[in-house]
Amino acid sequence: MAATLQTPLSGLARALVQQGRLKEAEAEHFAAQGAAAGTGFVAQLISAGRMTARDIAVFAAETFGYPLLDLNAYEEGHLAKDAIDRKLIQAHNVVALAKRGNRLAVALADPTNLRALDEIRFQTGLAVDPVVVEADKLAPLVTKLAESTEKALQDLAGEDFDVSLDELTEEGAQQQAEVTTVEVDDAPVVKFIQKILLDAIAEGASDIHFEPYEKFYRIRYRTDGQLREVAQPPLVIKEKIASRIKVISRLDISEKRVPQDGRMKLVLSKNKAIDFRVSTLPTLHGEKIVMRILDPSSAMLGIDALGYEPDQKEALMAAIERPYGMILVTGPTGSGKTVSLYTCLNILNKPGINISTAEDPAEINLPGINQVNVNEKAGLTFATALRAFLRQDPDIIMVGEIRDLETAEISIKAAQTGHLVLSTLHTNDAPTTLERLKNMGVAPFNIASSVILITAQRLARRLCSCKKPVTIPIEALIEAGFREDEIDGTWQLYGPNGCDRCKGSGYKGRVGIYQVMPISEEIQRIIMTGGNSMDIAAQAQQEGIRDLRQSGLLKAKQGVTSLEEVLGTTNE
């Protein structure tokens, strides 16, 4: 009895005692049994036959004022399956029903399980709304959602995937032959990795993270800019997973002390293959591996799919059709600069044009374009590659990034001597790009005479088709950047809702938000007379060029994305 008394009673147990449905000794006994078995108070109460699952659910809902839901009438496809960590689902017998804004509806048999609610609140960062359900209907759903990865591995061993992982060189093939020596070529691990890659491609993920920790190992996808956990393989196979990925990525499997970079290819069919850029990083508990998915089809989407407004597209197309000059694409890492550049190169890629690119590294292979990987250790820098390009009779040159004065000066020289040069910089918007070049040490006259257009960009999540209308106060709209005369009731803002297609997030895919600024004669004059980025931005506004926030607000008015997303991605 002493051990029983040490287990505190939940609010549900106390309520049952207070209303005479249970004796206090019984409640303490069931609470202690539930704690010892890890099943909880409600499960012990039902297994002992003292109350039915239905009776407990009705009592809890009526006593504590929470909604009562029949799980049999709730479609599994509508569940917010990935909102709660799988370990929490199993530990507390809970299921996330739906996410609305910053609130999460959670199904559980005991709505007074404060520990469960607190842990869910902490893990998700959301306000939690308990929904009472019957324990006997909840248990099989929890088991299904939290199925162990170990069982999934066993199942995968019998599956037949119509894909293959190809090595890119003979060296990779040689290492592949040695796989059996390190015991990584066993079917379950191979097929598990294949399934992880296939699922990532199917979901439109941009990156896959394999992360070892002291007591668990997890795999996460970055989809639409957000990281989401998708699996927790057994910790004991972390070395096998790392070795397998390193072998097919042409990396040294015996070197675990320093970071390595490699590539691999997933062949889906005769006409379809996906490249992966692989990066390893030694951490405290093993090697973390991040795989960037490089889908060549992303460069073939065409400029219309990227989200440029008609006037922005017209300005960009006019610039890339010029015989010479410099076009700069700016924005932070992960803002879609590479896809924009490749889309332009794909438009320009014609039999009569010689195109050369210097990249670090080349992410997407484009037939007909001479692509060079920068290798600073070997002395092949952007500047070295550019000098070589100028002796290769180029028409168009693409520089992955202008990082220093030497690269900037050679690029500008190329632009001034009859070549079209495309490149990127890491700046916040188009006007500050010109000031950045000046701060690098480039002469204002050279900037004004070579740069013909600058595009600044961000990526915002695109609303799913399940989007819902939202009402926002006029004051908030004005504060966001809308003009009073724009708020005329002729358009409707939308927000995320959540469905099975978007996995409850309310967003599916991403869309570009752009500031496309051609360098006019007046902007050239400001550059040469020592004007700063604020002067250039003011002139651009006078010329009708939308800044990033204004372009984002236009996307919100069109119902493409939400105002919340616009404010988050264009927050200067």
Side-chain angles (χ1 to χ4, degrees):
M1 184 63 72
T4 307
L5 292 172
Q6 291 175 356
T7 304
L9 295 181
S10 69
L12 176 61
R14 290 197 178 282
L16 287 168
V17 171
Q18 289 168 359
Q19 297 196 25
R21 304 289 293 270
L22 280 181
K23 294 178 180 178
E24 187 167 354
E26 283 182 307
E28 290 173 348
H29 173 69
F30 291 136
Q33 278 193 326
T39 55
F41 169 76
V42 171
Q44 292 298 323
L45 197 59
I46 295 170
S47 64
R50 284 292 282 112
M51 293 181 73
T52 66
R54 178 67 183 173
D55 288 342
I56 295 171
V58 171
F59 176 84
E62 290 178 350
T63 304
F64 299 102
Y66 291 118
L68 177 63
L69 175 71
D70 182 0
L71 276 178
N72 288 345
Y74 196 87
E75 292 186 28
E76 188 181 326
H78 291 164
L79 295 173
K81 298 179 182 179
D82 303 307
I84 302 176
D85 184 88
R86 294 181 184 183
K87 289 192 290 186
L88 288 184
I89 291 175
Q90 286 179 302
H92 299 299
N93 286 308
V94 296
V95 169
L97 293 173
K99 179 177 175 289
R100 296 289 184 271
N102 66 341
R103 306 196 72 83
L104 184 68
V106 175
L108 68 177
D110 182 358
T112 66
N113 186 345
L114 299 181
R115 181 183 171 192
L117 298 175
D118 286 343
E119 288 189 18
I120 294 168
R121 194 177 295 113
F122 178 77
Q123 182 244 312
T124 63
L126 302 172
V128 178
D129 296 323
V131 176
V132 181
V133 296
E134 294 156 69
D136 56 349
K137 295 177 181 177
L138 179 63
L141 186 57
V142 167
T143 303
K144 186 175 182 180
L145 293 181
E147 181 182 15
S148 71
T149 312
E150 204 163 351
K151 182 177 182 300
L153 278 171
Q154 293 169 1
D155 293 343
L156 282 167
E159 292 188 17
D160 182 23
F161 288 91
D162 187 24
V163 296
S164 64
L165 289 167
D166 281 4
E167 295 69 45
L168 304 182
T169 65
E170 291 181 8
E171 178 189 351
Q174 268 186 334
Q175 282 199 320
Q176 174 62 43
E178 299 168 6
V179 157
T180 51
T181 309
V182 290
E183 299 181 342
V184 298
D185 203 11
D186 50 306
V189 171
V190 172
K191 291 184 180 294
F192 177 66
I193 292 173
Q194 286 179 333
K195 185 174 190 305
I196 288 293
L197 300 185
L198 286 172
D199 288 349
I201 293 166
E203 288 193 20
S206 61
D207 301 87
I208 310 171
H209 292 238
F210 296 82
E211 301 171 313
Y213 296 95
E214 184 179 8
K215 296 184 178 178
F216 67 97
Y217 186 82
R218 72 178 177 186
I219 299 172
R220 295 192 290 175
Y221 293 162
R222 186 178 293 279
T223 309
D224 299 337
Q226 307 290 311
L227 275 172
R228 179 177 62 83
E229 184 177 313
V230 294
Q232 280 201 19
L235 190 59
V236 293
I237 68 167
K238 67 177 183 180
E239 298 292 345
K240 290 187 176 184
I241 290 177
S243 296
R244 173 66 184 171
I245 292 173
K246 287 166 73 175
V247 164
I248 57 182
S249 304
R250 300 178 297 149
L251 301 178
D252 184 353
I253 59 173
S254 64
E255 181 56 79
K256 301 177 182 180
R257 300 164 298 174
V258 296
Q260 298 186 65
D261 294 300
R263 289 177 76 99
M264 57 175 282
K265 181 178 290 187
L266 181 67
V267 179
L268 301 175
S269 66
K270 290 181 180 179
N271 303 317
K272 178 74 170 175
I274 304 290
D275 285 337
F276 294 80
R277 191 177 76 203
V278 181
S279 172
T280 71
L281 179 71
T283 68
L284 285 176
H285 305 292
E287 287 182 286
K288 172 175 178 176
I289 298 176
V290 176
M291 305 175 74
R292 167 66 57 88
I293 301 174
L294 310 172
D295 187 354
S297 63
S298 62
M300 312 297 178
L301 292 173
I303 198 164
D304 292 321
L306 299 184
Y308 286 95
E309 298 299 331
D311 58 329
Q312 294 174 336
K313 174 188 170 184
E314 184 181 346
L316 180 59
M317 293 301 294
I320 66 173
E321 287 169 4
R322 296 266 291 270
Y324 58 87
M326 180 183 284
I327 297 170
L328 296 172
V329 180
T330 76
T333 302
S335 60
K337 299 189 298 295
T338 301
V339 170
S340 293
L341 283 176
Y342 276 116
T343 301
C344 291
L345 288 178
N346 197 48
I347 294 170
L348 296 166
N349 189 13
K350 297 171 184 174
I353 302 292
N354 179 19
I355 303 176
S356 296
T357 74
E359 304 166 70
D360 185 20
E363 294 196 353
I364 298 173
N365 296 327
L366 288 180
I369 292 178
N370 308 292
Q371 296 173 275
V372 173
N373 270 339
V374 167
N375 186 343
E376 294 193 2
K377 288 182 181 177
L380 181 56
T381 63
F382 281 119
T384 308
L386 275 171
R387 287 195 188 94
F389 289 167
L390 293 175
R391 296 190 292 272
Q392 293 270 319
D393 184 30
D395 296 300
I396 297 167
I397 295 171
M398 194 269 271
V399 185
E401 183 184 347
I402 294 178
R403 297 175 179 172
D404 51 53
L405 177 59
E406 186 181 15
T407 306
E409 287 183 332
I410 300 172
S411 300
I412 284 172
K413 179 183 176 184
Q416 291 172 333
T417 54
H419 307 91
L420 185 65
V421 179
L422 291 78
S423 189
T424 71
L425 267 91
H426 288 281
T427 54
N428 286 332
D429 58 16
T432 56
T433 304
L434 296 169
E435 194 165 6
R436 171 74 183 279
L437 287 172
K438 194 162 61 173
N439 291 339
M440 276 185 180
V442 181
F445 174 79
N446 285 333
I447 298 172
S449 62
S450 58
V451 181
I452 58 176
L453 179 134
I454 301 173
T455 296
Q457 64 184 72
R458 300 287 188 277
L459 286 179
R461 288 182 294 170
R462 190 188 292 269
L463 283 168
C464 179
S465 55
C466 66
K467 63 187 179 183
K468 62 181 180 183
V470 295
T471 302
I472 298 175
I474 292 176
E475 295 78 13
L477 295 177
I478 293 172
E479 186 179 348
F482 286 106
R483 299 191 313 272
E484 286 192 45
D485 60 315
E486 283 184 283
I487 308 170
D488 54 9
T490 60
W491 46 270
Q492 172 67 57
L493 290 177
Y494 290 86
N497 189 20
C499 66
D500 188 43
R501 182 172 177 268
C502 61
K503 299 187 182 299
S505 70
Y507 296 95
K508 185 71 174 175
R510 290 194 285 180
V511 65
I513 295 175
Y514 303 94
Q515 179 186 24
V516 180
M517 188 178 81
I519 307 302
S520 64
E521 289 184 6
E522 187 59 32
I523 291 178
Q524 287 179 333
R525 187 191 64 76
I526 293 172
I527 296 168
M528 288 190 288
T529 55
N532 58 30
S533 59
M534 294 177 67
D535 300 324
I536 297 169
Q539 178 60 32
Q541 286 286 309
Q542 284 186 23
E543 295 177 8
I545 296 166
R546 290 183 295 276
D547 62 23
L548 287 165
R549 173 59 62 86
Q550 291 165 338
S551 294
L553 294 177
L554 183 57
K555 287 284 191 293
K557 283 176 66 175
Q558 295 166 350
V560 175
T561 189
S562 65
L563 181 60
E564 179 184 17
E565 191 70 8
V566 169
L567 297 180
T569 53
T570 63
N571 184 11
E572 303 298 339

